[in-house]
């Protein structure tokens, strides 16, 4: 028997024990337990003002206009559809500008915030013409493009405007949004956000679907789409075209007519 062999055989048993038998070693390999409640409570709180919300027709927040009932109805129907399919990510878009998709998205988010058991995250994904910060009367913390590029941590970007509603606002426009949306990093950032906050619903306020390829490029990141048509703005051809293009990629939850004639329409 060689000297090397004798030396290996004579080693004490505890010195050749596998590291996996050490409890402290195993504990060090375990992932840190994440508590979404703690993460949610740690977000910067931004105060909404009723005057700003009323000025921008966010009727679901103040409930001062009978139109809020329409958003409550949309909220309930949407929630039922999401629960039925196990979905949580919804993109809201329109055929063209002027249809009021941001108006609908914001009012829908505020309607959901009145459901204590539902946590919602509202994200301004119209990178070419961001508007949610102004609509809510808030200041955006930073650029959505930087956030989706992984430059900013979610806790440093999102703001909590209600106990169960967080918003991701945008302070500057970006012309390369289509390319950014199709970058793998953007998908990873959204996964990180979902894992951190564990929201029941993520609402993405998107740009118009027929003007650029932004919406089409972003669709792999959502479960379904809500289309907002503008009364007197959207043509039947526009609506049909949007349905055909988007339904090939993701299910369409429905087409909502906004700005229709009536006492409670905008």
């Amino acid at each position: 028997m060689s000297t090397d062999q004798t030396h290996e055989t004579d080693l004490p048993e505890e010195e050749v024990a596998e590291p996996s038998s050490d409890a402290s070693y195993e504990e060090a390999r375990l992932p840190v337990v994440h508590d979404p409640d703690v993460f949610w409570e740690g977000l910067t709180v931004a105060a909404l003002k009723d005057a700003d919300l009323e000025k921008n027709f966010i009727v679901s927040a103040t409930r001062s206009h009978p139109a809020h009932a329409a958003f409550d109805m949309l909220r309930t129907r949407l929630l039922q559809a999401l629960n039925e399919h196990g979905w949580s990510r919804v993109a809201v878009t329109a055929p063209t500008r002027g249809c009021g998709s941001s108006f609908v998205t914001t009012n829908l988010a505020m309607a959901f915030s009145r459901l204590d058991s539902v946590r919602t995250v509202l994200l301004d994904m119209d990178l070419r013409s961001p508007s949610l910060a102004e609509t809510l009367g808030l200041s955006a913390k930073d650029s959505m493009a930087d956030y989706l590029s992984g430059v900013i941590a979610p806790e440093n970007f999102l703001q909590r405007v209600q106990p169960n509603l967080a918003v991701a606002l945008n302070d500057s426009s970006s012309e390369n949004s289509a390319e950014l949306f199709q970058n793998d990093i953007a998908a990873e950032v959204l996964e990180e956000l979902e894992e951190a906050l564990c929201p029941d619903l993520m609402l993405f306020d998107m740009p118009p679907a027929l003007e650029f390829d932004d919406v089409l490029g972003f669709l792999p990141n959502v479960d379904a789409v809500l289309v907002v048509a503008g009364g007197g703005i959207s043509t039947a051809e526009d609506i049909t075209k949007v349905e055909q293009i988007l339904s090939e990629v993701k299910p369409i939850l429905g087409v909502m007519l906004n700005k229709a004639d009536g006492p409670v329409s905008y």
Side-chain angles (χ1 to χ4, degrees), residues 211-251:
E211 293 187 6
F212 303 96
D213 62 334
D214 296 27
V215 176
L216 197 59
F218 188 76
L219 284 190
N221 295 300
V222 305
D223 297 312
V225 187
L226 176 65
V227 178
V228 178
I233 299 175
S234 302
T235 65
E237 182 181 359
D238 287 340
I239 298 172
T240 299
K241 186 181 296 185
V242 166
E243 289 181 313
Q244 289 176 341
I245 293 175
L246 302 186
S247 64
E248 293 179 357
V249 184
K250 292 292 177 176

Side-chain angles (χ1 to χ4, degrees), residues 25-76:
Y25 176 81
E26 288 296 324
E27 290 174 1
R29 295 177 60 192
L30 293 175
V32 177
V33 177
H34 169 68
D35 187 348
D37 292 340
V38 174
F39 198 100
W40 194 277
E41 292 297 325
L43 294 178
T44 300
V45 176
L48 298 174
K49 298 179 181 178
D50 287 348
D52 292 327
L53 299 175
E54 290 179 1
K55 179 182 67 175
N56 294 311
F57 306 113
I58 309 304
V59 296
S60 289
T62 62
R63 307 185 79 178
S64 59
H65 193 288
H68 79 80
F71 288 104
D72 288 350
M73 181 70 71
L74 178 61
R75 171 194 66 189
T76 300

Side-chain angles (χ1 to χ4, degrees), residues 15 21 25 28 37 68 70 93 133 141 176 198 206 217 225 229 249:
E15 292 186 24
S21 63
Y25 176 81
D37 292 340
H68 79 80
T93 186
K141 282 189 167 187
N176 67 333
C198 296
M206 304 299 302
V225 187
V249 184

